[in-house]
């Protein structure tokens, strides 16, 4: 899982990707609304993946990225556990993998 993340985006696109996902997650609701917005819990997973790649490639402030990565993936796991998105076997496997990395 972790090794596949390292090659997903080109190095130059990572800071822009982080900004986009940060803005999207800032604008999200903070509690479950039982509407289509709940599905966007996956944005936190993507934000964490972006930080993970930035850390691995040595882009920017690695210490700050580690802090943000823990927050983003922790928030994704919380939202999955609270039922924002359906816990399919694939989603469960993702959460287990992320919890091990955290």
């Amino acid at each position: 899982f972790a090794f596949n993340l390292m090659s997903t985006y080109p190095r130059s696109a990572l800071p822009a990707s982080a900004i986009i996902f940060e803005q999207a997650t800032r604008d999200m609701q903070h509690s479950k609304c039982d509407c289509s917005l709940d599905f966007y819990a996956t944005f936190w997973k993507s934000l964490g993946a972006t930080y993970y790649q930035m850390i691995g490639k040595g882009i920017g402030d690695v210490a700050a990225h580690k802090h943000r990565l823990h927050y983003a993936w922790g928030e994704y796991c919380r939202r999955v556990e609270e039922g924002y998105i359906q816990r399919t076997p694939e989603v469960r496997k993702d959460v287990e993998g992320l919890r091990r990395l955290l």
Side-chain angles (χ1 to χ4, degrees), residues 9-87:
Y9 299 115
R11 182 180 171 92
S12 59
L14 290 170
S17 178
I19 290 169
I20 291 166
F21 283 121
E22 284 173 0
Q23 184 62 49
T25 57
R26 257 194 312 269
D27 292 344
M28 285 289 162
Q29 79 282 6
H30 295 285
S31 60
K32 194 168 183 301
C33 65
D34 292 321
C35 66
S36 63
L37 290 176
D38 289 341
F39 178 75
Y40 292 101
T42 58
F43 278 28
W44 276 272
K45 179 182 173 188
S46 299
L47 177 59
T50 302
Y51 285 129
Y52 188 88
Q53 291 178 60
M54 291 174 75
I55 292 164
K57 294 178 182 183
I59 300 171
D61 183 349
V62 172
H65 296 334
K66 286 180 181 178
H67 175 74
R68 291 180 182 127
L69 166 101
H70 282 271
Y71 172 75
W73 278 350
E75 183 66 15
Y76 171 72
C77 291
R78 180 190 73 81
R79 287 174 179 255
V80 168
E81 291 162 356
E82 290 182 7
Y84 281 65
I85 59 176
Q86 186 178 5
R87 286 190 266 186

Side-chain angles (χ1 to χ4, degrees), residues 77 89-102:
C77 291
E90 182 180 320
V91 169
R92 283 189 195 122
K93 186 177 177 181
D94 280 347
V95 169
E96 289 171 9
L98 294 175
R99 288 279 187 211
R100 280 193 300 273
L101 290 172
L102 295 175

